[in-house]
Amino acid sequence: MGDWVVRLIEQSGYLGVAFLMFLETIFPPIPSEVIMSVAGVTAAKGEMSLGGAIAAGTAGAMLGNIVWYLAARALGIIRLKPIIDRFGRWITMDWAEVQRAERWFLQNGTFFVFLGRMLPTVRSLVSVPAGLLKMRFKTFFIASTIGTAGWTSALAYAGYKLREHFSEVDQWLGPISNAILVTLVLAYVWRLIRYRPAS
């Protein structure tokens, strides 16, 4: 994976960075940690500017974020009601809880999107609730862009400073990503055990 990312960025420059970050957002298994760290290393070699690499990465990721948002918005939460009513036990959520979540999102959605964009594992999923709950596109775009720019900047700067040791970024963030994933799984199992549908 790393060698392919390096070659594409070396051959395609900013366009390669943007394309890879777009793919990373659409298909989360492609790691942004590697993509933006390699872009930072490339900038350190003088083959592109650090600011340009960050802008390209942010633009590519935002394009993917918008695709997910629009797809989820087109679906709409109301179309999920029959699924939630039927499989609420396994989703660990009934329709009343969905409505409570919608009210919470109206008040806290901007911060949720901003913070979620800077969390490994979670960041690629943030667009879905924002779209399903029909968050204003302008608000979604601004919060997503700020959070995404923060994430890509941190990774690119780390690669810029570490240069050939950019793999250390993934070694450091990998355990954090795994910890977040394990926490999410455990939270789901806990909810599954304790779930009681509203009567």
Side-chain angles (χ1 to χ4, degrees):
M1 176 69 72
D3 292 341
W4 175 67
V5 168
V6 171
R7 285 197 302 272
L8 186 57
I9 291 177
E10 287 179 345
Q11 294 170 4
S12 305
Y14 300 118
L15 186 60
V17 174
F19 175 70
L20 286 168
M21 287 299 289
F22 170 76
L23 287 183
E24 183 269 341
T25 306
I26 299 297
F27 306 105
I30 300 175
S32 59
E33 292 88 345
V34 174
I35 298 166
M36 291 311 302
S37 297
V38 170
V41 172
T42 305
K45 294 178 179 178
E47 297 173 14
M48 65 171 67
S49 72
L50 182 60
I54 293 170
T58 300
M62 279 303 301
L63 182 59
N65 293 337
I66 291 169
V67 168
W68 276 116
Y69 169 86
L70 293 177
R73 188 179 178 96
L75 177 63
I77 193 68
I78 197 68
R79 293 186 183 177
L80 296 182
K81 189 176 188 301
I83 297 174
I84 293 170
D85 288 342
R86 184 173 181 181
F87 300 106
R89 172 74 178 89
W90 300 106
I91 301 172
T92 69
M93 183 176 287
D94 57 28
W95 189 246
E97 194 167 1
V98 170
Q99 292 176 313
R100 288 196 297 272
E102 187 171 9
R103 290 192 293 271
W104 181 91
F105 201 86
L106 286 173
Q107 296 178 340
N108 305 284
T110 302
F111 181 72
F112 173 83
V113 170
F114 162 72
L115 181 62
R117 289 293 178 219
M118 295 192 288
L119 294 177
T121 305
V122 176
R123 58 184 305 277
S124 296
L125 306 175
V126 170
S127 299
V128 175
L132 286 175
L133 299 174
K134 299 190 184 301
M135 184 180 197
R136 283 185 61 202
F137 179 76
K138 181 179 179 181
T139 303
F140 166 81
F141 182 82
I142 292 173
S144 287
T145 300
I146 295 172
T148 300
W151 177 253
T152 55
S153 296
L155 293 176
Y157 185 74
Y160 185 85
K161 285 297 185 182
L162 291 171
R163 290 178 167 78
E164 285 75 12
H165 303 290
F166 73 90
S167 60
E168 294 176 14
V169 177
D170 189 44
Q171 292 173 7
W172 182 70
L173 287 175
I176 296 177
S177 300
N178 292 336
I180 291 174
L181 183 59
V182 168
T183 300
L184 292 175
V185 171
L186 290 176
Y188 169 74
V189 172
W190 177 252
R191 283 179 60 86
L192 191 63
I193 293 171
R194 294 177 56 85
Y195 178 73
R196 299 290 183 276
S199 55

